[in-house]
Each structure stands twice: as C-alpha cells, then as structure tokens.
Amino acid sequence: MLSIEKYQEEFLSFLEDYTVVKEPKGLYNPIQYILSLGGKRLRPVLTLMTADIFGGNYKDALNAALSVEVFHNFSLVHDDIMDDAPLRRGEATVHEKWDINTGILSGDAMLIMAYQLFENYNAEAFQALAKLFSKTAIEVCEGQQYDVDFETRIDVTIPEYLKMIEYKTSVLVAAAMKMGAIVAGATDKDQNSIYEFGRNLGIAFQLQDDYLDAFGDPKSFGKQVGGDIIENKKTYLYLKALEFSSVQEQERLENLYTLETDKNEEKIFVVKELFKSTGAAEATKQAVKDYTNKAFSVLESLDVSEERKQLLKDFGTGLMSRTV
C-alpha cells in the first residue's frame, strides 16, 4: 500500500503522459487545459487505493482511474456552461477561454475518451467497468437535472436533496472505488460493499462541503464563503433550518432566499445566524458524522485485513475533518 500522496504522484504522472497535444488542436487543447487545472484528484486516488486494498496491482487500475477523472472533468465543463461560471479552480472556464461550442464539443469528446480507456482491459473487466460507468454517468446527469429543478422549487424535501447529492456527487465516488475492486478481481460481494462505502462517504463529503461553504475559513476554503447563500441554493443547511424554524423564522429565511440584493455580506451574516440559532448547523455536522459512520460500518463485511480496513477508515476520517 502507498500513501495518498504517492498515489497522487503516480496518477499525475500517468495523466501527464495521456494528455499529449493532438490534432485538431481546437478540440484537444481545451481537454488538456481542463485536465491540467488540478483539483483534489480524489476519485482516481480512490480507484488506485481500492485496487491495492483488494490485492491487485494499483498500476493495473490507472486506466480506470483516468477514465473516472476524465468523466468528472467532462461533467465540470458542461456544468460550467449551464451555470455560466467564469472560473474553475481559479482559472477561466473552458467556455470562457474558448467559447460555448468548443466547451460542448470538447466535453462530448471527453465522455467518449473516458469509455475508450476501458479498452485496455480484458473482455470480462471491460464489460463490468462499462456497465458500471454507464449506470453512473446517467445518474450523474439525473442528479444535475434535480439540481437545476431545485433552483425554482420552493418545496424541496430533505430526502429529495439527499438523492440529488447522491446522484450528482457520491455515485461517482462509489463507482471509482468499485472500479478498483473490479480491476483487482474482488468478489461481487466485496465490489458491492466497497461501492456502498464510497456512496455513503460521498454523501458525507458533499454535506461537509455544504457546511464549509457557509462556515469554512476563507483562507483555507479556496473560494468565497457563503457562495451557496448568495446563489440561494437549497442546501441541507437551508432545508434543516426551515424544518427547525418557527413560522416567523421560516418566513424570514424564505424571504432572504428570494430577495434580490447587492448587500451580500449582510445577507450571508443573517442567514448564517439563522443556521446556527435553529440548530441546522449542528444537524448538518451530525449528518456528516452519521454518513461517515454508515460508510465505516460497511467495512466490517469486507474480506480484507483489519489493517486495510483501517486505511479506509483513516482516509474517511481525514476527508471529513478537512477545511477545504
């Protein structure tokens, strides 16, 4: 087993070899650009680590790990177009640096390239990987649509929100881990268990992200704290605040989320105070712990050593105690 940093190094080296300049440059340069912008590389690292945990060679999982990362970045390119986002990881988004048509076409090519990477595996592994990938890809699209729908709905429920973040975020984390297990030749039972581990950890990760967006340290968080509040996003924090609020507090919060204002700092302050006073902030932190513990409980059924289970627990614990 390697350290997380070593898996990252190995993956980045493989990624560098993959992102060679091709013709036509108008199609491939934007792909190389988005893949070089950095990020946590969380998902491909999980693929490599999982392959190792189930007794495989992590190097055999590099193509699957790259497929996950290419797909993830494809989804970001198209998400940025839908959101009209000017920046991604502090740099211009693909459609801003080039144009919308380039973003659409280069994104389409990335989706196809993600599938092509499975051709490096034997027929049995290829079929299992492609089947999982197709299921995951359509769920990510469904999650994105739910997210879009929620922007104009005032009756979003907590179960609906949890389903949205499961599809939009956590299924790709789960699939990344299951791909490592597939490449390593793990049993179906272990493949399904590690998928459930990743799914629950992915939900906890997104809930933690919701919390940090409101209460994170601006210096370490890497983006504007309160961005979700400014954009009136109905996060877990917001929905819990509504659930716990008095009628008067509900009306105030709903008004704040429909109010057009340029006084963003004031709005962020008032909403955060409501999140704290209603108990929504603490409830969100508790939900992060609950989903993390759900993930850890799945590990008991894995047919691997206690030492390797502990590695997964340590990874999950580190992820949930992050400040970025």
Side-chain angles (χ1 to χ4, degrees):
M1 298 292 297
L2 306 180
S3 66
I4 298 300
E5 292 74 24
K6 185 61 178 173
Y7 286 125
Q8 286 172 328
E9 285 176 22
E10 291 285 317
F11 176 74
L12 288 172
S13 175
F14 191 71
L15 175 63
E16 193 174 328
D17 291 340
Y18 175 76
T19 51
V20 292
V21 177
K22 301 177 187 177
E23 295 289 344
K25 288 187 173 65
L27 178 68
Y28 289 107
N29 280 359
I31 296 172
Q32 183 173 9
Y33 171 76
I34 187 69
L35 287 173
S36 69
L37 285 187
K40 302 179 186 74
R41 313 293 187 185
L42 165 70
R43 296 156 192 84
V45 164
L46 284 173
T47 303
L48 302 182
M49 184 171 72
T50 305
D52 252 355
I53 279 170
F54 286 111
N57 185 336
Y58 76 88
K59 291 187 177 182
D60 293 339
L62 281 164
N63 281 292
L66 183 54
S67 175
V68 170
E69 186 69 1
V70 171
F71 174 79
H72 174 58
N73 281 275
F74 141 75
S75 71
L76 298 182
V77 171
H78 280 194
D79 283 0
D80 287 341
I81 293 171
M82 294 176 71
D83 295 340
D84 195 23
L87 297 175
R88 168 66 61 183
R89 296 167 185 151
E91 301 291 337
T93 48
V94 168
H95 71 276
E96 284 288 327
K97 189 173 175 65
W98 283 272
D99 53 54
I100 288 177
N101 287 347
T102 298
I104 293 170
L105 189 60
S106 293
D108 290 346
M110 290 175 79
L111 178 59
I112 297 161
M113 291 161 70
Y115 268 106
Q116 281 184 321
L117 285 157
F118 298 140
E119 295 171 8
N120 295 294
Y121 295 98
N122 63 38
E124 185 180 357
F126 174 89
Q127 184 178 29
L129 290 166
K131 185 177 179 180
L132 173 61
F133 186 89
S134 296
K135 173 182 176 291
T136 304
I138 199 69
E139 285 175 343
V140 170
C141 292
E142 289 170 1
Q144 176 68 6
Q145 185 61 54
Y146 284 132
D147 198 21
V148 170
D149 292 346
F150 291 174
E151 289 177 10
T152 54
R153 279 183 51 190
I154 59 172
D155 59 345
V156 178
T157 66
I158 287 174
E160 286 178 319
Y161 181 75
L162 290 170
K163 182 177 182 180
M164 183 273 287
I165 64 173
E166 176 184 347
Y167 280 15
K168 190 175 179 184
T169 301
S170 77
V171 294
L172 191 55
V173 174
M177 300 195 81
K178 188 171 180 177
M179 283 183 188
I182 290 170
V183 172
T187 64
D188 288 347
K189 179 175 175 291
D190 277 344
Q191 288 179 28
N192 293 333
S193 291
I194 204 67
Y195 181 92
E196 281 303 301
F197 173 82
R199 187 180 70 83
N200 283 300
L201 200 66
I203 293 172
F205 179 88
Q206 185 57 54
L207 292 174
Q208 175 82 335
D209 221 45
D210 286 0
Y211 181 84
L212 289 174
D213 188 273
F215 296 105
D217 182 343
K219 292 179 183 177
S220 60
F221 189 47
K223 55 184 178 180
Q224 181 180 19
V225 170
D228 287 347
I229 295 171
I230 294 170
E231 295 173 24
N232 300 321
K233 288 200 171 183
K234 301 171 185 76
T235 62
Y236 193 84
L237 274 166
Y238 172 81
L239 296 173
K240 274 293 176 184
L242 284 182
E243 180 186 339
F244 296 155
S245 293
S246 65
V247 173
Q248 187 178 7
E249 287 171 328
Q250 282 180 2
E251 289 176 354
R252 190 178 186 200
L253 191 56
E254 287 171 345
N255 285 337
L256 284 164
Y257 268 60
T258 55
L259 185 68
E260 291 292 332
T261 179
D262 55 0
K263 298 178 180 178
N264 286 331
E265 294 304 317
E266 183 180 330
K267 177 179 175 178
I268 290 168
F269 176 80
V270 173
V271 170
K272 284 172 64 174
E273 287 302 304
L274 281 168
F275 286 168
K276 287 189 282 189
S277 65
T278 59
E282 282 303 313
T284 302
K285 287 167 70 175
Q286 185 59 50
V288 171
K289 291 178 184 175
D290 290 345
Y291 276 98
T292 303
N293 288 332
K294 278 186 185 179
F296 290 169
S297 69
V298 173
L299 297 179
E300 301 309 314
S301 65
L302 288 185
D303 187 20
V304 297
S305 68
E306 290 301 319
E307 181 185 3
R308 293 187 173 187
K309 289 177 186 179
Q310 190 59 47
L311 285 171
L312 287 167
K313 284 185 179 180
D314 290 345
F315 180 83
T317 301
L319 207 58
M320 292 312 115
S321 60
R322 78 193 198 282
T323 57
V324 296

